[in-house]
Amino acid sequence: MMGRMSFSGHLVESYQQRTGQPRDRHRDAAYSYQWAVLRDMLARLEVILDDEGVPRETAERVLRCLLYGSPSVVDADDRMERDAELKKLLTEQP
C-alpha cells in the first residue's frame, strides 16, 4: 500500500529540482545508486528521529542540514547560491 511521501522524500525531490539534477533515467548507474543510498539514509534517519521522539521541526532541520548543509530553507537557499557562484567563478578561472 502506497502512503504519502515522507518529508525526506520531498526534501530530496526538491533538492534535485532546485539543483537541476537529471531525472533517474538520465543518470548513469553509479550516480543513480549514490542517490538511492542517500534517499534511503535520509528516510531511515527520519524514522529514527520520529521513533526517538525528536520534535518534528527539529527532525526536519536535521534532515535539511544533512542534505543542504544548512538547517533552514533560507540558509539552504543562501548556501546553494554561494555554491553556484563559487562553481561559476572556478569554471571561469584558468
Side-chain angles (χ1 to χ4, degrees):
M1 178 155 119
M2 301 270 305
R4 65 182 182 85
M5 186 182 289
S6 65
F7 175 77
S8 62
H10 283 293
L11 188 63
V12 169
E13 195 172 271
S14 171
Y15 178 84
Q16 290 175 325
Q17 289 173 353
R18 294 167 79 185
T19 58
Q21 300 291 324
R23 298 184 64 79
D24 285 338
R25 67 178 182 271
H26 298 294
R27 298 185 184 144
D28 65 39
Y31 193 70
S32 293
Y33 175 76
Q34 290 171 345
W35 272 107
V37 169
L38 179 61
R39 278 191 302 269
D40 184 57
M41 181 180 62
L42 288 170
R44 288 172 187 245
L45 179 57
E46 182 175 14
V47 170
I48 291 167
L49 294 172
D50 285 344
D51 288 350
E52 292 297 317
V54 173
R56 192 70 195 156
E57 181 179 323
T58 302
E60 290 178 4
R61 288 173 54 85
V62 168
L63 292 168
R64 198 176 292 112
C65 195
L66 183 61
L67 184 60
Y68 284 104
S70 300
S72 74
V73 175
V74 173
D75 290 338
D77 286 341
D78 289 345
R79 184 180 194 94
M80 289 179 68
E81 286 177 24
R82 285 193 311 271
D83 288 351
E85 289 170 6
L86 180 59
K87 182 179 174 183
K88 182 180 177 190
L89 178 66
L90 291 173
T91 59
E92 292 173 352
Q93 298 289 326

